[in-house]
Amino acid sequence: AAAARGVEITVHCRPSDRLAAVIVRSGGIANIPVLMQGQPVALTDASGVAHLMLKLPPSTPFTLALDTSANPRIAPDGGLFV
Protein backbone atom coordinates (compact mmCIF):
# COMPACT_ATOMS: atom_id res chain seq x y z
CA ALA A 1 0.00 0.00 0.00
CA ALA A 2 1.21 3.49 -0.81
CA ALA A 3 2.09 5.70 2.14
CA ALA A 4 -0.35 8.55 2.67
CA ARG A 5 1.10 11.97 1.92
CA GLY A 6 -0.10 15.01 3.78
CA VAL A 7 -1.06 18.23 2.11
CA GLU A 8 1.93 20.21 0.85
CA ILE A 9 1.66 23.96 0.53
CA THR A 10 4.39 26.34 -0.61
CA VAL A 11 4.05 29.99 0.41
CA HIS A 12 6.35 32.75 -0.83
CA CYS A 13 6.41 35.89 1.30
CA ARG A 14 8.22 38.99 0.14
CA PRO A 15 9.87 40.92 2.96
CA SER A 16 8.04 44.09 3.94
CA ASP A 17 11.28 45.72 5.12
CA ARG A 18 14.92 45.66 4.12
CA LEU A 19 17.85 45.97 6.51
CA ALA A 20 20.81 48.14 5.58
CA ALA A 21 24.05 48.41 7.56
CA VAL A 22 25.68 51.81 7.14
CA ILE A 23 29.09 53.02 8.31
CA VAL A 24 29.71 56.77 8.35
CA ARG A 25 33.20 58.24 8.73
CA SER A 26 33.85 61.86 9.67
CA GLY A 27 37.60 61.96 9.18
CA GLY A 28 38.40 61.26 12.82
CA ILE A 29 36.12 63.91 14.33
CA ALA A 30 34.02 62.75 17.30
CA ASN A 31 30.49 63.74 18.31
CA ILE A 32 29.28 64.80 14.86
CA PRO A 33 25.54 64.17 14.51
CA VAL A 34 24.51 61.89 11.66
CA LEU A 35 21.17 62.93 10.18
CA MET A 36 18.76 60.79 8.20
CA GLN A 37 16.12 62.74 6.32
CA GLY A 38 17.16 65.74 8.46
CA GLN A 39 16.65 63.97 11.81
CA PRO A 40 19.50 62.91 14.15
CA VAL A 41 19.99 59.13 14.22
CA ALA A 42 23.56 58.71 15.54
CA LEU A 43 26.75 60.45 16.70
CA THR A 44 30.25 59.68 15.53
CA ASP A 45 32.36 57.96 18.19
CA ALA A 46 35.82 58.93 19.48
CA SER A 47 37.41 57.67 16.24
CA GLY A 48 34.94 59.60 14.06
CA VAL A 49 32.84 56.57 13.04
CA ALA A 50 29.11 55.90 13.37
CA HIS A 51 27.38 52.59 12.70
CA LEU A 52 23.70 52.44 11.78
CA MET A 53 21.26 49.66 11.08
CA LEU A 54 18.36 50.90 8.99
CA LYS A 55 15.07 49.09 8.51
CA LEU A 56 13.18 50.48 5.51
CA PRO A 57 10.54 49.35 3.03
CA PRO A 58 12.06 48.05 -0.24
CA SER A 59 13.20 50.71 -2.72
CA THR A 60 12.90 53.54 -0.17
CA PRO A 61 15.41 56.30 -0.91
CA PHE A 62 17.12 57.95 2.06
CA THR A 63 19.64 60.70 2.64
CA LEU A 64 22.34 60.75 5.30
CA ALA A 65 24.27 63.87 6.28
CA LEU A 66 26.83 64.96 8.86
CA ASP A 67 25.70 68.03 10.79
CA THR A 68 28.83 70.14 11.29
CA SER A 69 26.99 73.34 12.26
CA ALA A 70 28.14 73.11 15.92
CA ASN A 71 31.81 73.01 14.89
CA PRO A 72 32.84 76.14 12.92
CA ARG A 73 36.28 74.65 12.13
CA ILE A 74 34.67 72.07 9.85
CA ALA A 75 33.55 72.99 6.32
CA PRO A 76 31.19 73.38 4.51
CA ASP A 77 29.42 76.61 5.32
CA GLY A 78 25.87 75.80 6.28
CA GLY A 79 26.95 72.83 8.33
CA LEU A 80 25.86 69.78 6.31
CA PHE A 81 27.90 67.17 4.48
CA VAL A 82 25.47 65.10 2.41
Side-chain angles (χ1 to χ4, degrees):
R5 289 183 55 179
V7 176
E8 289 185 24
I9 298 174
T10 302
V11 178
H12 298 279
C13 299
R14 293 179 184 240
S16 59
D17 291 316
R18 301 278 194 235
L19 294 177
V22 179
I23 300 171
V24 178
R25 295 175 59 194
S26 68
I29 303 167
N31 297 316
I32 301 294
V34 179
L35 308 179
M36 181 174 151
Q37 311 302 80
Q39 299 299 312
V41 292
L43 282 175
T44 57
D45 64 15
S47 66
V49 176
H51 299 91
L52 300 119
M53 181 67 77
L54 306 177
K55 185 176 181 181
L56 301 166
S59 303
T60 301
F62 62 92
T63 302
L64 294 175
L66 292 175
D67 181 0
T68 61
S69 61
N71 192 333
R73 299 178 309 148
I74 304 172
D77 293 337
L80 289 179
F81 277 108
V82 179

